[in-house]
Amino acid sequence: MKADSKYVESLLSTANVNFVIPIYQRNYDWTFSQCKQLLEDIYHAGSDNKIKDHFVGSVVYIHEEAVYTTSEIKEFVIIDGQQRLTTLTLIYLALYHQAKNINNTNLAEQINDHFLINKYADDASKLKLKATADNDKVLKNLLNNIHEENTEFSNIIHNFNYIKKFIKDKNHEIIVTGLRKLICVEIVLDRSKDSPQRIFESLNSTGLALSQGDLIRNYILMGLEPKQQKQLYQEFWEIIEIKTKCETSNKNNISDFIRDYLTLKNKKIPKKNAVYDDFKRSYPNFTFESIKSELANIVKLANHYYKLTNPKQETDADIRTHLQYIDQLEVSVSFPFLMQVYQDYQDQKIDKPTFLQVLELIQSFVWRRFIVGLPTNALNKIFMTLYSKVTVEDYLDSIQSYLCSLTGIQRFPKNKETIDNLEFKDVYYTKNKNTMYLLSRLENFNNNEPVTIDNSKITIEHIFPQNPSAEWKPELADADYNYINDNYLHSISNLTLSGNNGKLGNKSFREKRDLKDAGYKDSRLWLNKFLAQQDTWNEKTIRARFKQISARFLDVWQYPQVETSAIQENNEVNIFEADDPTSK
């Protein structure tokens, strides 16, 4: 390793060099605020004669062997400093175009030949900054003043436009002066002697905001030869990154996915900020061939994770429906288990009916626990080891038997306990997705013409309103009025679905029932059929409706029919599956 202070201009003007951003580096993700800070620092340095130098951090790179093209081009593979180097290149690009616009030919040629291009290199090595594929294309377009229509959002374009607005005719000379004062620490690594990964970890520990997924990608690829890096990235890691992206939020969940993968593999849940450390412990001394084999397995599971987080990507309508239900439940803690079940279905170890029954079983287990009010953190330990309880010959039965054998806060609530809790449970002021899940499953059970409920037209309707109109008082005795308001207002018995919530409002029950083309009588929803037949809404009719709904509830979220003998009575408790001993 060699380290020395160096003017940034001197580094960037090195002849016949490509500053290569390797494929394992995260994307260029500096935002407006970081660009603004750098530009203001450069402007301040350029406008104050007392400032001789301004430090902008370190640039760490591996000096690779020369790449022979039409001329000899050296490659400096950037380990740290990508964000600053890319932003500085954008600043020089903006100055270059401005110099051309004001006919300052000398400045334009100086910037272009010294800081932007290798003048005599072929097209592949022309740009000094060799970014990753998408960014490389954008940089070349900016250099050649090409504006493509329908270009996806790019931080490079966004920041370049900001920089162009910042640099004006009256301040461009100050910016040029400020750039000449920038110094950095140049750290040159020798691949045969230095460990880029250890140095990278040391740099990251000082505050670089890299995700656990970024660190894992670098750990896998950084120590390999460039050709091997490219192969693993293109064949595996790039696919993993694509498959772990949530299409709704446009967020990449690769860190969460790897956490789920390690949970399945090691039967132990890594802490969110320690996924990288757990991955390193799981693969301490991998070879190219061994990590290639493991990445192939990870890609398989990533394909299933993609459908679990983006249910619409599942082409089978029946499976897609239940994946959407699981998505509504927001039970991502089950993903380590479900990814492997998905793989078993793909490998034809189980058939489609069994797979669907497993998906329904998980919903019943989780949803009954929610109704009873059992702690959600107990699910972590259950799903962490659940797949190890699977017997291939008795796939569904083995899962059912294990879940039904759980006790305490881990238990699978039985019918009586569940219905007793359901009657008065507030299911309105929970997560809206959960309430819609409850109502939509009740509505569409055994319905050959299912109602699409995930839209803004059909909403949750209180039968007895949250703010009743005056007409409700004469219809109900005081005791009924107060009892309903205090005990049933947000319960399942007093909730329904309607596409005419605004019209129904807080009207009396009969008005809601009979409102033309909008009332309960004209509704085609199952949830409103009982209401269409009632003359009043009081404690008696509410209890009758609950009896009807509770019967349907038990049909939808079933308790497994497991023989008592199949449930093992065992006084021994696995410490990893035990109840929380706090306060006991």
Side-chain angles (χ1 to χ4, degrees):
M1 178 195 298
K2 296 179 181 178
D4 198 6
S5 63
K6 196 166 192 175
Y7 281 100
V8 171
E9 270 199 348
S10 176
L11 175 63
L12 293 179
S13 63
T14 306
N16 297 327
V17 160
N18 279 150
F19 296 97
V20 179
I21 309 301
I23 54 176
Y24 55 76
Q25 285 277 22
R26 62 177 173 176
N27 196 25
Y28 173 67
D29 57 8
W30 261 23
T31 61
F32 157 83
S33 59
Q34 284 103 354
C35 290
K36 181 174 183 287
Q37 183 63 58
L38 180 58
L39 279 166
E40 287 178 349
D41 289 346
I42 292 170
Y43 182 85
H44 179 63
S47 58
D48 189 340
N49 293 329
K50 295 179 181 179
I51 297 176
K52 301 300 181 184
D53 302 312
H54 180 77
F55 180 65
V56 291
S58 61
V59 176
V60 184
Y61 62 86
I62 303 171
H63 187 176
E64 297 287 9
E65 294 296 321
V67 177
Y68 291 92
T69 54
T70 51
S71 60
E72 192 176 279
I73 302 296
K74 298 183 289 288
E75 285 195 346
F76 292 175
V77 178
I78 304 301
I79 302 300
D80 181 51
Q82 175 204 174
Q83 310 293 326
R84 289 185 297 277
L85 285 179
T86 304
T87 305
L88 287 166
T89 297
L90 294 179
I91 293 171
Y92 279 115
L93 266 170
L95 285 169
Y96 166 70
H97 285 300
Q98 188 188 49
K100 289 181 70 176
N101 290 338
I102 61 175
N103 295 319
N104 190 337
T105 305
N106 287 337
L107 180 60
E109 288 181 356
Q110 181 186 12
I111 291 172
N112 190 52
D113 296 350
H114 287 183
F115 309 122
L116 297 179
I117 68 166
N118 294 306
K119 191 170 183 179
Y120 300 108
D122 60 14
D123 287 343
S125 304
K126 198 77 167 178
L127 268 177
K128 285 201 161 188
L129 181 65
K130 197 172 183 179
T132 51
D134 292 340
N135 288 340
D136 190 57
K137 181 181 178 182
V138 172
L139 282 172
K140 286 177 179 175
N141 286 343
L142 290 178
L143 179 65
N144 297 314
N145 213 13
I146 297 172
H147 302 281
E148 286 191 348
E149 297 295 329
N150 302 320
T151 304
E152 289 187 11
F153 175 83
S154 165
N155 274 345
I156 284 186
I157 294 174
H158 182 68
N159 291 346
F160 178 71
N161 290 335
Y162 167 72
I163 292 167
K164 277 203 308 183
K165 291 179 182 177
F166 186 96
I167 300 175
K168 301 177 177 64
D169 290 350
K170 62 182 179 182
N171 70 5
H172 80 276
E173 290 183 359
I174 295 175
I175 298 296
V176 170
T177 302
L179 287 167
R180 289 173 182 154
K181 295 182 179 182
L182 299 185
I183 61 170
C184 65
V185 173
E186 179 191 43
I187 302 175
V188 186
L189 306 182
D190 183 337
R191 188 181 290 278
S192 64
K193 298 177 182 178
D194 302 314
S195 171
Q197 180 63 27
R198 286 182 185 172
I199 293 167
F200 177 80
E201 287 179 2
S202 176
L203 290 165
N204 187 67
S205 68
T206 63
L208 289 176
L210 290 176
S211 72
Q212 297 293 297
D214 289 329
L215 292 168
I216 291 167
R217 179 191 61 225
N218 290 5
Y219 174 68
I220 293 171
L221 299 178
M222 188 178 287
L224 301 174
E225 295 298 324
K227 185 178 179 181
Q228 294 176 327
Q229 290 175 0
K230 186 175 182 180
Q231 182 182 348
L232 289 188
Y233 181 80
Q234 292 179 340
E235 288 186 15
F236 303 109
W237 194 264
E238 187 175 26
I239 297 171
I240 293 169
E241 289 187 339
I242 292 169
K243 295 298 184 181
T244 54
K245 188 174 185 179
C246 177
E247 294 179 350
T248 305
S249 63
N250 202 33
K251 177 187 174 186
N252 190 288
N253 298 316
I254 194 166
S255 299
D256 292 338
F257 164 69
I258 296 294
R259 184 173 184 243
D260 288 342
Y261 166 74
L262 290 173
T263 300
L264 175 64
K265 177 182 172 66
N266 300 328
K267 300 178 182 60
K268 182 180 178 183
I269 305 171
K271 293 181 179 178
K272 286 194 173 184
N273 62 352
V275 177
Y276 169 55
D277 293 330
D278 270 42
F279 189 91
K280 284 202 301 178
R281 279 192 289 270
S282 297
Y283 304 99
N285 298 303
F286 63 83
T287 63
F288 173 72
E289 290 301 328
S290 67
I291 201 65
K292 181 179 177 181
S293 174
E294 196 61 36
L295 285 173
N297 293 328
I298 295 175
V299 166
K300 289 181 182 178
L301 295 177
N303 285 319
H304 308 317
Y305 184 88
Y306 181 57
K307 293 178 182 178
L308 287 168
T309 53
N310 303 284
K312 291 181 179 178
Q313 297 302 321
E314 172 55 63
T315 56
D316 185 291
D318 298 324
I319 296 173
R320 180 170 64 247
T321 296
H322 284 289
L323 294 186
Q324 288 172 327
Y325 286 148
I326 288 171
D327 181 58
Q328 282 183 298
L329 278 176
E330 296 182 329
V331 61
S332 60
V333 69
S334 67
F335 287 0
F337 169 71
L338 289 178
M339 286 191 302
Q340 188 59 56
V341 176
Y342 225 134
Q343 184 60 41
D344 288 345
Y345 168 62
Q346 187 177 77
D347 292 340
Q348 298 183 339
K349 291 182 180 179
I350 57 174
D351 56 16
K352 177 182 169 181
T354 302
F355 185 34
L356 291 173
Q357 285 176 298
V358 172
L359 294 176
E360 291 218 52
L361 174 65
I362 296 308
Q363 292 175 66
S364 294
F365 178 66
V366 171
W367 189 240
R368 282 174 174 246
R369 289 175 55 83
F370 169 76
I371 296 299
V372 170
L374 293 173
T376 56
N377 58 4
L379 294 173
N380 293 329
K381 293 178 181 178
I382 296 169
F383 285 113
M384 177 178 73
T385 60
L386 183 54
Y387 188 75
S388 66
K389 314 299 180 183
V390 173
T391 304
V392 176
E393 297 77 17
D394 301 301
Y395 205 97
L396 180 63
D397 289 345
S398 61
I399 302 170
Q400 290 176 332
S401 296
Y402 175 71
L403 292 178
C404 290
S405 72
L406 296 172
T407 59
I409 60 171
Q410 292 188 330
R411 69 185 180 276
F412 196 148
K414 296 183 179 179
N415 291 351
K416 186 178 185 308
E417 181 185 16
T418 304
I419 297 305
D420 286 348
N421 280 273
L422 176 64
E423 182 172 6
F424 300 107
K425 187 173 183 68
D426 182 338
V427 292
Y428 181 70
Y429 280 112
T430 59
K431 293 179 181 176
N432 186 56
K433 287 178 82 171
N434 284 352
T435 309
M436 293 303 286
Y437 167 77
L438 170 62
L439 292 169
S440 64
R441 288 226 59 190
L442 287 170
E443 177 61 39
N444 287 319
F445 178 69
N446 283 346
N447 187 349
N448 292 326
E449 297 180 317
V451 180
T452 303
I453 293 170
D454 58 344
N455 61 64
S456 57
K457 293 181 181 179
I458 296 181
T459 56
I460 300 168
E461 148 79 357
H462 283 77
I463 303 162
F464 178 86
Q466 297 185 78
N467 299 296
S469 63
E471 287 85 352
W472 278 91
K473 278 284 187 182
E475 286 191 12
L476 293 169
D478 287 346
D480 265 1
Y481 185 96
N482 293 329
Y483 190 78
I484 293 171
N485 191 61
D486 294 342
N487 295 284
Y488 285 108
L489 181 61
H490 301 308
S491 74
I492 186 60
S493 305
N494 191 52
L495 298 178
T496 189
L497 292 168
S498 174
N500 301 285
N501 210 329
K503 294 179 181 178
L504 299 177
N506 61 357
K507 291 181 173 65
S508 69
F509 178 75
R510 287 190 180 87
E511 287 179 296
K512 288 186 175 189
R513 183 193 65 187
D514 300 334
L515 191 64
K516 186 173 176 56
D517 297 328
Y520 303 142
K521 278 188 175 181
D522 290 334
S523 173
R524 71 181 185 92
L525 299 180
W526 176 87
L527 283 165
N528 293 328
K529 285 183 178 179
F530 177 86
L531 304 177
Q533 300 166 0
Q534 307 307 310
D535 292 322
T536 187
W537 193 243
N538 55 27
E539 183 182 349
K540 181 180 178 181
T541 50
I542 284 178
R543 286 183 180 276
R545 185 171 187 253
F546 178 71
K547 185 176 180 181
Q548 181 195 53
I549 286 177
S550 61
R552 195 173 181 94
F553 183 100
L554 295 179
D555 286 335
V556 177
W557 295 279
Q558 296 181 12
Y559 186 85
Q561 299 299 310
V562 181
E563 293 183 17
T564 307
S565 59
I567 301 176
Q568 298 294 321
E569 294 293 337
N570 191 345
N571 292 326
E572 293 184 359
V573 178
N574 184 326
I575 192 170
F576 296 108
E577 299 170 3
D579 293 350
D580 186 349
T582 305
S583 303
K584 294 184 180 179

